[in-house]
Amino acid sequence: MSRQVWINGKLYSSEDARVSVFDHGLLYGDGVFEGLRSYGGKVFRLHEHVVRLFESAKAIWLEIPLTQQALCDAIDQMVKTNEIEDGYIRVIVTRGVGTLGLDPRKCNDPQVIIIADAIALYPSEYYENGLEIITVSVNRNHPTALSPRIKSLNYLNNILAKIEGIQSGCIEALMLNHKGEIAECTGDNIFLVKQGELRTPPLDAGILAGITREAVSEIAEGIGMDVRRVALTKHDVYTADEVFLTGTAAEVVPVVKVDSRSIGDGKPGPITCDLKERFQALARL
Ligand code: PXG
């Protein structure tokens, strides 16, 4: 189905929406992005996503040529224009056209792109039976090399981890940080349930500050659960009562096996299932 795509304030049909082969987003992965979701035509945590996009851009010295409010309005407009109810929105900001050289000063027309489409949901058996994941040899980007807080157009770190997971028959891969601590999966944050409390790696473990991670933490704290953002090891994961992942695409998805070890009783746990329901209720409010 043809969609309308927003590029720098103009609308193009999806067939005609294009960027140049000289765009540094393509040549060098020089740019940032966000993946958002709409529920019943309303974008979930729109403001938080736009703030994170602007922070990603600031961290790479990329100036987004519109205000946060104007971008929020444009995203809302694209959801309406494309008549999206439950949908997926991708916002991309590239450094723009430059020369065949790294120098970003040659790029002076950043491309802001908004794509709004229907969402391709994960198969329901992932939620019913839980995922099996594996820790991979690819570490998460070292925070002093490229901060994992930046949602940049260069996702090779995560893609290499994903490939390693797929080679082992797992659709998600768990990445460790440079200290050997648990970081996150390739497109999701990780939580453990232990003795009725939630544990998730802190931001300084070198992870993306996930918006679903934050929403689920708020839900849990709202029902009186402790949420501890603490450094975690593989041992903590293997001996957890429950494990689940959070992300815009996956929402809350149970994990039942890590590195071939069953987690808890090997079935999606009650706290995970409860938080998954509560998250969906919140998203559809
Ligand atoms: N960690 C990483 C590395 C991610 O890329 C998350 C955690 C979860 O963050 P949010 O804010 O979504 O709760 C992400 C999110 C895609 C896609 O199209 C990727 C993400 C989100 C939406 C779509 O691959 N990554």
Side-chain angles (χ1 to χ4, degrees), residues 107-125:
C107 309
N108 38 41
D109 188 20
Q111 299 293 295
V112 183
I113 301 162
I114 306 169
I115 306 167
D117 206 342
I119 181 128
L121 294 173
Y122 287 131
S124 61
E125 59 257 34

Side-chain angles (χ1 to χ4, degrees), residues 33-37 44 48-49 52 88-90 119 122 140 148 150-151 155 157-158 162 172 175 183-190 206-215 245-251 279:
F33 78 102
E34 275 298 320
L36 307 84
R37 237 170 121 150
F44 182 68
E48 286 86 341
H49 278 282
R52 187 169 70 185
Y88 178 71
I89 302 115
R90 171 67 61 96
I119 181 128
Y122 287 131
R140 190 72 175 99
I150 302 170
K151 212 164 156 56
Y155 249 53
N157 180 215
N158 311 55
K162 181 112 181 168
E172 251 309 346
M175 304 167 85
E184 61 184 335
C185 287
T186 66
D188 300 291
N189 293 112
I190 187 166
I207 61 171
L208 187 78
I211 286 163
T212 320
R213 171 182 177 271
E214 207 46 48
L245 309 180
T246 63
T248 294
E251 300 179 319
F279 176 79

Side-chain angles (χ1 to χ4, degrees), residues 260-279:
S260 302
R261 291 159 176 86
S262 287
I263 303 302
D265 64 2
K267 297 196 191 76
I271 293 177
T272 302
C273 296
D274 182 50
L275 290 171
K276 173 180 174 291
E277 298 297 315
R278 287 176 191 275
F279 176 79

Side-chain angles (χ1 to χ4, degrees), residues 185-217:
C185 287
T186 66
D188 300 291
N189 293 112
I190 187 166
F191 281 85
L192 315 182
V193 180
K194 186 74 174 175
Q195 288 153 358
E197 69 178 31
L198 292 190
R199 297 183 189 164
T200 192
L203 294 184
D204 64 14
I207 61 171
L208 187 78
I211 286 163
T212 320
R213 171 182 177 271
E214 207 46 48
V216 167
S217 299

Side-chain angles (χ1 to χ4, degrees), residues 135-182:
T135 54
V136 290
S137 70
V138 179
N139 279 351
R140 190 72 175 99
N141 279 331
H142 195 298
T144 61
L146 177 66
S147 172
R149 304 266 314 258
I150 302 170
K151 212 164 156 56
S152 89
L153 289 183
N154 189 323
Y155 249 53
L156 272 178
N157 180 215
N158 311 55
I159 290 164
L160 293 184
K162 181 112 181 168
I163 290 171
E164 211 181 308
I166 290 167
Q167 300 286 359
S168 308
C170 294
I171 63 129
E172 251 309 346
L174 180 55
M175 304 167 85
L176 306 178
N177 68 16
H178 58 287
K179 295 187 270 187
E181 299 161 347
I182 303 298

